[in-house]
């Protein structure tokens, strides 16, 4: 079937026609996509009590429109990424039932009974098993798709499959370039603009560091990554974690995923300055967030090193000092990418509702400035940190 956008009616017909629900099933369908890029439908077979999700790629960026075309082939990469992630970290990503390259869609497990973490975290929800789960996904993906483990020829074949130029270009522009000058694509809170013009856009040393990380992102094919691992790309409850939406998957620096995730936790941490919750609740939740950051990174490191101990194949892995060198760079990159993620979500094209949910623009801009300055301090001082606890302690001391 040639590509066309589905709607709630055609989507119901499609799911019956491919045999996922029976021909005579009573299907209800709702389009629920609230992301920047795709259509997302939840389909229910009412009598059987079963449901699935269809994610369909649009040939352009949804939040911008047809003026920004986007490659439909991303669906195949996303399906393949989910397959690899499911193999390396079973149960931590949605199950895929069907990938349809012509309609650029994926039929997958409906996980909407779990909440998306971002709105959950805006309501101060906590996720006791999250650090354990997500560190498994990141450590296994980061190790078993790297040259430490894979045959170099096979790894290069995989790199080829995950060449993802259009989605990478979004990241290259929106994260590493646009926030550092008055780019017309930026989405600027008017109350923040004076600070950006007088202060932020003049920070040449910061722009230099962002440029170094851009080059790293452009050139380091270290491992396969999720590529957009933020709290809006994760379903979770007290027992489950499912990372979805890996359409940005490609071979890049492993720490882009760890940094993206931690950057989003730190954004949530500072967002409470613009809200009127009880101080005690804020204090407790902030402690939970920093503990989570500590757990996420220490568990990631430990699991990555366990993989290294048991499974590393390349001889460089056993060269004295190489492991320490590798892990030190991973840590510094995590801090750097976390900082750049914090910055991009304040005045780049795509924001986080954690901060944009602060209705008063003046108050919002104060929080945005705090996050921009903390991002700057983290990246500029990254060499002075030795463990993730140094980073969270640095944040704690400047927040309470
Ligand atoms: C134009 S796409 C904007 C952002 O949405 C996605 O979730 C990625 O984070 C991307 O940078
Ligand atoms: Mg997404």
């Amino acid at each position: 079937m040639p590509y066309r956008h589905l709607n709630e009616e055609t989507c119901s017909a499609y799911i019956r026609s491919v045999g996922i629900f029976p021909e005579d099933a009573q299907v209800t369908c709702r389009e629920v996509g609230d992301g920047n890029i795709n259509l997302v439908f939840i389909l229910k077979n009412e009598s059987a009590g079963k449901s699935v999700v269809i994610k369909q790629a649009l040939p352009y960026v949804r939040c911008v429109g047809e003026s920004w075309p986007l490659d439909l082939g991303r669906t195949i990469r996303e399906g393949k990424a989910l397959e690899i992630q499911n193999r390396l970290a079973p149960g931590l990503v949605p199950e895929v039932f069907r990938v349809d390259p012509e309609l650029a869609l994926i039929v997958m497990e409906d996980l909407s009974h779990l909440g998306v973490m971002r709105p959950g975290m805006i309501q101060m929800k906590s996720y006791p098993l999250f650090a354990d789960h997500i560190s498994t996904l990141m450590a296994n993906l980061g190790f078993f798709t790297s040259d430490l483990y894979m045959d170099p020829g096979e790894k290069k074949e995989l790199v080829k499959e995950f060449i993802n130029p259009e989605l990478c270009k979004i990241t290259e522009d929106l994260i590493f370039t646009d926030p550092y000058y008055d780019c017309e694509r930026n989405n600027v809170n008017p109350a923040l603009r004076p600070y950006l013009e007088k202060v932020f856009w003049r920070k040449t040393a910061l722009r230099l560091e962002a440029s170094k990380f851009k080059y790293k992102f452009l050139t380091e094919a270290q491992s396969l990554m999720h590529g957009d691992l933020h709290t809006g790309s994760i379903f979770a409850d007290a027992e489950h974690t499912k990372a979805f939406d890996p359409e940005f998957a490609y071979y890049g620096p492993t720490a882009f995923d760890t940094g993206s995730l931690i950057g989003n936790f730190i954004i949530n941490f500072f967002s409470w300055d613009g809200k009127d919750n009880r101080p005690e609740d804020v204090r407790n939740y902030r402690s939970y967030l920093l503990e989570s950051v500590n757990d996420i990174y220490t568990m990631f490191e430990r699991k990555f090193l366990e993989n290294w101990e048991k499974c590393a194949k390349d001889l460089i892995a056993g060269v004295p000092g190489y492991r320490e060198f590798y892990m030190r760079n991973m840590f510094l990159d995590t801090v750097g990418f976390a900082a750049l993620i914090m910055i991009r979500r304040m005045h780049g094209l795509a924001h986080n509702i954690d901060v944009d949910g602060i209705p008063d623009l003046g108050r919002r801009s104060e929080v945005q400035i705090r996050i921009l300055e903390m991002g700057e301090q983290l990246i500029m001082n990254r060499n002075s940190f030795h463990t993730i606890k140094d980073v969270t302690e640095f944040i704690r001391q400047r927040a309470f």
Side-chain angles (χ1 to χ4, degrees), residues 139-325:
N140 289 359
L141 190 62
F143 180 82
F144 290 108
T145 64
S146 78
D147 284 294
L148 295 166
Y149 176 74
M150 286 188 83
D151 165 80
E154 284 170 17
K155 184 238 176 180
K156 286 178 183 67
E157 286 302 317
L158 204 54
V159 171
K160 220 170 15 175
E161 276 191 62
F162 281 95
I163 297 289
N164 197 353
E166 292 187 11
L167 281 285
C168 283
K169 180 81 166 69
I170 292 179
T171 300
E172 289 147 20
D173 289 344
L174 268 48
I175 298 181
F176 301 109
T177 316
D178 300 358
Y180 300 92
Y181 75 104
D182 191 3
C183 173
E184 61 176 23
R185 207 164 26 200
N186 285 332
N187 168 9
V188 177
N189 167 5
L192 179 65
R193 179 163 279 283
Y195 170 80
L196 295 174
E197 287 178 351
K198 292 199 195 95
V199 183
F200 191 82
W201 285 326
R202 299 181 185 191
K203 290 182 183 283
T204 49
L206 175 62
R207 194 172 187 181
L208 173 61
E209 296 313 302
S211 307
K212 292 179 192 169
F213 275 85
K214 177 174 182 176
Y215 199 71
K216 200 177 258 303
F217 184 87
L218 285 161
T219 57
E220 266 181 34
Q222 195 176 11
S223 71
L224 184 62
M225 313 178 313
H226 177 285
D228 193 25
L229 193 58
H230 55 76
T231 51
S233 297
I234 299 167
F235 283 113
D237 68 7
E239 285 117 44
H240 307 92
T241 303
K242 305 268 185 180
F244 60 99
D245 239 6
E247 65 202 312
F248 284 78
Y250 95 113
Y251 255 87
T254 310
F256 186 70
D257 278 352
T258 47
S260 297
L261 185 61
I262 288 173
N264 274 267
F265 269 67
I266 304 174
I267 292 173
N268 183 280
F269 178 95
F270 283 102
S271 69
W272 300 104
D273 283 341
K275 302 181 184 181
D276 294 317
N277 302 66
R278 290 191 329 158
E280 194 194 338
D281 293 343
V282 172
R283 250 195 321 275
N284 290 339
Y285 198 63
R286 283 180 153 172
S287 291
Y288 159 75
L289 292 171
L290 295 187
E291 278 315 305
S292 297
V293 169
N294 288 342
D295 289 346
I296 290 167
Y297 198 76
T298 46
M299 288 186 192
F300 163 77
E301 235 174 7
R302 179 172 51 76
K303 291 173 189 181
F304 195 95
L305 287 172
E306 281 167 9
N307 291 337
W308 189 310
E309 281 302 310
K310 289 191 205 132
C311 306
K313 290 195 179 146
D314 195 287
L315 283 182
I316 58 166
V319 171
Y322 187 72
R323 200 179 60 174
E324 290 71 20
F325 163 82

Side-chain angles (χ1 to χ4, degrees), residues 195 199 203 368-378:
Y195 170 80
V199 183
K203 290 182 183 283
Q368 289 171 322
I369 291 171
R370 265 200 174 170
I371 294 174
L372 290 172
E373 294 190 338
M374 180 52 69
E376 179 189 6
Q377 289 174 37
L378 291 180

Side-chain angles (χ1 to χ4, degrees), residues 176 213 216-217 253 255-256 259-260 333-342:
F176 301 109
F213 275 85
K216 200 177 258 303
F217 184 87
F256 186 70
S260 297
D333 290 356
T334 297
V335 177
F337 284 124
L340 300 177
I341 290 293
M342 291 160 64

Side-chain angles (χ1 to χ4, degrees), residues 84-93 133 136-137 140 241-242:
I84 293 173
Q85 290 168 3
N86 222 336
R87 184 160 40 77
L88 295 177
L92 296 176
V93 301
H133 290 160
T136 299
L137 175 62
N140 289 359
T241 303
K242 305 268 185 180

